[in-house]
Amino acid sequence: MADTLGEDWWKADSSDASYEGEEEKPSEKAADEKKPRKRKTESVKLTKAKKKKKECFVAQEKQDTAEDKGVEKPKKRRKKKNITDALAASEPKPGCAADLQELLRDHYADKLSIIELEELQLPDSCFLARNDLSHSLSSYLKEICPKWAKVQKNHAIKRSVVLLIICSSALRTIELIKQLTAFKGEGKVLKLFAKHIKVEEQMKLLAKGVAHIGVGTPGRIKALIEKDGLTLDALKYVVLDWNWRDQKLRRMVDIPEVREHHLVPEV
């Protein structure tokens, strides 16, 4: 009995021990199983991120190769040079008689015959010394007209001026009139431009009294001559504001409206 009980007790103890061991094993396994799962999830995330990076690099490489092979890059358009760019690159040169003669020939080349063009050619005696860009307006006029005081005293014809200065704009007209202070003396100066002044008003001023100098734009001067508001009976000097340039670096003869319609007279 004792032996059998002893054996049974041992078996019972062993079975209990084994049962307790079996109960401990699952907890250890669970603990062991949890650790590698975290590593696996971390490794999975890393591999996914690496795959995304690879996909991005591959996509960029494909785009680059497609652009290199098949698609042509758009060519840059070159800016066209305009009058302003061309004049900015060129050095300012004083106008001369040949420039005016060339302007007249180009304007009437397809309108007049060869004989008529020859008759239009002005002799050199019609031209005075040009401004070499070293003179102011007053000093230049004193050089070409040294006896101005006597000339203005002898002038007594209405609706006509002795000196006519032609420029490109109303603002330039006002600037030139201010520069005439040292030259004009007792002479009367008239503004002959279209801005804020009607033709009829200027015709009345010309008919009212004697004016010695007229400064204005080609369009208004032409209109006054056509309407007999301004005559050329007493005219002795015509000065073209040839060398001055506006904000776009254009001379008076470079402005299309002035060049084609106003500056060159109709024959």
Side-chain angles (χ1 to χ4, degrees):
M1 290 291 289
D3 295 333
T4 55
L5 286 170
E7 289 176 1
D8 293 336
W9 174 81
W10 180 80
K11 288 178 181 179
D13 291 339
S14 62
S15 62
D16 293 337
S18 63
Y19 180 75
E20 289 175 359
E22 288 175 1
E23 286 180 353
E24 290 176 358
K25 285 178 183 178
S27 62
E28 292 176 358
K29 287 180 180 180
D32 295 335
E33 286 176 1
K34 286 180 183 177
K35 292 178 182 178
R37 280 179 187 173
K38 289 182 181 177
R39 291 175 184 172
K40 285 180 181 179
T41 53
E42 289 175 359
S43 61
V44 168
K45 288 180 182 178
L46 291 171
T47 52
K48 285 182 179 180
K50 287 180 181 178
K51 284 181 181 179
K52 285 182 181 178
K53 287 181 181 179
K54 287 180 180 179
E55 288 175 358
C56 292
F57 287 124
V58 171
Q60 287 178 359
E61 288 176 0
K62 286 181 179 179
Q63 287 178 359
D64 295 337
T65 52
E67 288 177 359
D68 294 337
K69 290 181 180 179
V71 182
E72 293 182 358
K73 294 181 180 179
K75 296 180 179 179
K76 292 182 179 179
R77 293 182 180 179
R78 293 181 179 178
K79 291 183 179 179
K80 293 182 179 180
K81 289 185 177 180
N82 52 23
I83 295 174
T84 304
D85 297 332
L87 290 173
S90 63
E91 295 181 0
K93 295 180 180 179
C96 60
D99 295 333
L100 182 59
Q101 299 279 32
E102 185 180 357
L103 177 65
L104 292 171
R105 282 196 303 270
D106 292 342
H107 183 76
Y108 292 113
D110 55 349
K111 298 177 183 179
L112 301 177
S113 63
I114 297 173
I115 297 172
E116 289 173 331
L117 287 172
E118 289 178 356
E119 292 176 353
L120 191 63
Q121 187 78 13
L122 297 173
D124 293 338
S125 58
C126 293
F127 297 95
L128 296 171
R130 63 177 180 174
N131 186 355
D132 58 358
L133 303 180
S134 62
H135 286 283
S136 64
L137 179 59
S138 291
S139 65
Y140 173 68
L141 293 176
K142 286 178 181 179
E143 182 179 341
I144 64 172
C145 187
K147 298 180 180 181
W148 172 251
K150 185 178 180 180
V151 171
Q152 71 173 5
K153 284 181 181 179
N154 295 333
H155 174 58
I157 302 173
K158 295 181 179 179
R159 296 191 302 119
S160 185
V161 294
V162 179
L163 172 62
L164 186 61
I165 301 174
I166 304 174
C167 57
S168 59
S169 66
L171 291 174
R172 181 59 178 166
T173 300
I174 295 169
E175 289 178 8
L176 292 176
I177 290 173
K178 290 178 180 178
Q179 294 178 25
L180 286 170
T181 306
F183 169 78
K184 67 177 182 177
E186 297 178 358
K188 185 180 179 181
V189 183
L190 285 182
K191 296 179 288 187
L192 305 177
F193 54 78
K195 193 172 184 180
H196 306 306
I197 305 174
K198 294 181 180 180
V199 182
E200 291 76 15
E201 293 178 5
Q202 290 172 340
M203 291 174 67
K204 287 179 182 179
L205 288 172
L206 286 164
K208 187 177 180 180
V210 177
H212 302 85
I213 304 172
V215 186
T217 55
R220 178 48 59 91
I221 292 171
K222 181 181 178 182
L224 288 168
I225 293 171
E226 289 175 348
K227 293 185 177 184
D228 293 328
L230 177 66
T231 65
L232 307 180
D233 297 335
L235 185 64
K236 292 185 177 181
Y237 304 97
V238 178
V239 177
L240 299 177
D241 189 26
W242 190 279
N243 298 323
W244 184 80
R245 302 188 183 212
D246 61 7
Q247 292 179 349
K248 295 182 179 180
L249 299 178
R250 298 179 303 178
R251 300 171 301 174
M252 179 171 56
V253 292
D254 296 321
I255 301 171
E257 296 82 8
V258 175
R259 183 188 180 96
E260 296 174 8
H261 303 294
H262 302 306
L263 185 61
V264 182
E266 295 298 331
V267 176

